[in-house]
Amino acid sequence: MSPNTAAAASALSARIPGSKSLTNRALLLAAAARGTSGLWAPLVSDDTVAFRRALTAIGISTSTTPSDECWEVTGTGGGPYAPGRVWCADAGTAARFLPPFAATGRGSFVFDGSEQLRARPLGPLTRALTRLGAEVAAGPDGGLPLTVAARGLAGGVVELDSGLSSQYLSGLLMAGPLMTGPLTVDVPRLVSRPYLDMTLALMRRFGADVSEDAGTVTVRPGGYAATDLVIEPDASTASYFFAAAAVTGRTLTVPGLGSSSLQGDLRFARVLELTGAEVEIGLHSTTVTGPAGGRLTGGFTVDMGEISDTFMTLAAIAPLFDGPVTITGIAHARLKESDRIAAVAANLRACGIRVEEGPDRITVHPGTPRPAVVDCHRDHRIAMSFAVLGLGSSVPLTLDDPACVAKTFPEFHTELNRLFPEYQIRLDKEQ
């Protein structure tokens, strides 16, 4: 038996839940479609449940199977017609996707969310909606609470700067087929291009007529048709398990996440190749094998602007590399659930690691982490990233908010412990 065959035979198989990005986009498109759509293997987490409940609050009929294998959504065939108050909780996609959808309907809709979500900007989106004729009133700092006095949208031509978040653009485009005329959006700046590609692919899957040419996207009226969809495992969540395999020198496979994936964050596996890990992306699965002993190669610079949700995964394990690593292109990560560059840098310093940061970059130097309390900032990705550092370094890192992982993967700690039993040390300390 060859080494590769032996590794494959002994590979750990990770149970990764469905993609949050796919689940919430599919929920919105199903809500706008004519008929009933079945979303199979959806992510069941704080963010997706908040999104589903927000749809219910504006009159969309949803139902679930007893074990959440499938969520059924009966759409309106257009915009919503049940105005009221909508609680978005911590879900940024709800705050960015639902107001444009509401603007295509009728009545007054008020969107609000947690203090954390209120701090996240909405200005580019609200300005674009206003230019299209929507009546929008934002909160004191230009974000939530947001009121939309809806009377339908006629379409038109608008410029939307998406240099801070691609979610503004995705939200506006998904509302496009519900307008009475074509919508053309000029996009002078765009971060996280793979998320736009995901949005366009799903819109087409639900029957939208959308085209793109030289930085301009055009959506034609016509609405959506109900569609059944199987949700892929979440590639962002998979990054923590790929990283865990790399730092422990083991082989791990994520079934259902392969070369046909709609998710750009699968590219994180290719980033791990720079560290000396072996990566195989097949048609229906992806496998990562870490080097023996888990000692990884550093001494490189990588632009992770298009996969910024995974930059923390790399930065958190970078102290275990044999050379420094610089991650660039991530300025927009300062405007997520937390200022993620600052949060990662501060936590690594608390672990005794040398770190340098700039407006859009972070450099992490090799070092031996020391025991520390990790400030999660109520940010699921901070918690999951530093859990992997604790696993790989065998140093007792204490997460100050281990439960915040429920935003995207409530069973994260349990699954990491199932695959890597030594993580029980970390889990005991966290609880």
Side-chain angles (χ1 to χ4, degrees), residues 197-222:
D197 293 337
M198 177 192 298
T199 298
L200 297 180
L202 284 177
M203 288 174 65
R204 293 181 178 116
R205 177 74 180 268
F206 279 81
D209 183 356
V210 55
S211 60
E212 183 181 8
D213 180 48
T216 298
V217 185
T218 299
V219 186
R220 295 161 190 85

Side-chain angles (χ1 to χ4, degrees), residues 20 46-47 50 87-92 113-120 312 336-340 343 347 374-384 386 399-409:
K20 181 186 79 169
D46 287 355
D47 268 17
W87 180 249
C88 299
D90 282 340
S114 66
E115 182 179 349
Q116 184 188 62
L117 190 58
R118 281 188 171 198
R120 298 179 69 177
M312 293 162 288
K336 298 282 190 172
E337 284 84 341
S338 64
D339 179 338
R340 286 176 165 170
N347 281 316
V374 175
D375 184 349
C376 296
H377 296 269
R378 291 189 60 235
D379 189 333
H380 56 134
R381 302 208 182 281
I382 299 293
M384 291 190 270
F386 278 85
L399 304 181
D400 73 344
D401 184 12
C404 70
V405 300
K407 183 176 175 70
T408 49
F409 191 2

Side-chain angles (χ1 to χ4, degrees), residues 132-173:
L132 288 171
E135 186 177 335
V136 180
D141 297 317
L144 300 180
L146 184 73
T147 300
V148 178
R151 53 183 181 273
L153 291 176
V157 179
V158 67
E159 181 177 281
L160 178 57
D161 187 338
S162 298
L164 297 178
S165 173
S166 63
Q167 289 179 358
Y168 308 137
L169 180 58
S170 288
L172 189 62
L173 292 176

Side-chain angles (χ1 to χ4, degrees), residues 128-377:
L129 285 172
T130 300
R131 287 194 292 271
L132 288 171
E135 186 177 335
V136 180
D141 297 317
L144 300 180
L146 184 73
T147 300
V148 178
R151 53 183 181 273
L153 291 176
V157 179
V158 67
E159 181 177 281
L160 178 57
D161 187 338
S162 298
L164 297 178
S165 173
S166 63
Q167 289 179 358
Y168 308 137
L169 180 58
S170 288
L172 189 62
L173 292 176
M174 286 191 288
L178 309 181
M179 300 179 190
T180 57
L183 169 69
T184 298
V185 185
D186 293 324
V187 189
R189 291 196 306 156
L190 175 65
V191 295
S192 304
R193 169 75 210 202
Y195 285 98
L196 172 60
D197 293 337
M198 177 192 298
T199 298
L200 297 180
L202 284 177
M203 288 174 65
R204 293 181 178 116
R205 177 74 180 268
F206 279 81
D209 183 356
V210 55
S211 60
E212 183 181 8
D213 180 48
T216 298
V217 185
T218 299
V219 186
R220 295 161 190 85
Y224 295 105
T227 301
D228 288 343
L229 185 71
V230 177
I231 305 296
E232 302 171 9
D234 193 291
S236 306
T237 298
S239 74
Y240 311 112
F241 294 87
F242 291 145
V247 300
T248 59
R250 298 180 210 177
T251 297
L252 179 139
T253 295
V254 175
L257 190 62
S259 57
S260 60
S261 172
L262 295 176
Q263 301 172 77
D265 279 1
L266 182 56
R267 298 182 196 174
F268 177 79
R270 293 302 184 197
V271 174
L272 284 178
E273 286 185 315
L274 300 175
T275 73
E278 294 183 15
V279 175
E280 181 180 353
I281 300 179
L283 185 60
H284 301 296
S285 66
T286 297
T287 299
V288 171
T289 301
R295 189 61 175 174
L296 299 166
T297 302
F300 60 84
T301 297
V302 58
D303 185 337
M304 297 185 72
E306 292 195 339
I307 55 170
S308 64
D309 276 353
T310 64
F311 99 82
M312 293 162 288
T313 318
L314 185 69
I317 65 171
L320 309 181
F321 299 176
D322 66 6
V325 170
T326 297
I327 303 170
T328 63
I330 52 174
H332 53 289
R334 293 189 180 276
L335 301 171
K336 298 282 190 172
E337 284 84 341
S338 64
D339 179 338
R340 286 176 165 170
I341 298 176
V344 168
N347 281 316
L348 286 172
R349 291 184 184 116
C351 295
I353 302 301
R354 179 183 163 201
V355 182
E356 295 135 20
E357 61 175 293
D360 70 341
R361 65 172 181 83
I362 186 170
T363 298
V364 182
H365 294 266
T368 301
R370 65 191 180 207
V373 176
V374 175
D375 184 349
C376 296
H377 296 269

Side-chain angles (χ1 to χ4, degrees), residues 60-71:
I60 305 302
S61 175
T62 68
S63 63
T64 68
T65 56
S67 299
D68 283 312
E69 300 96 340
C70 181
W71 288 359

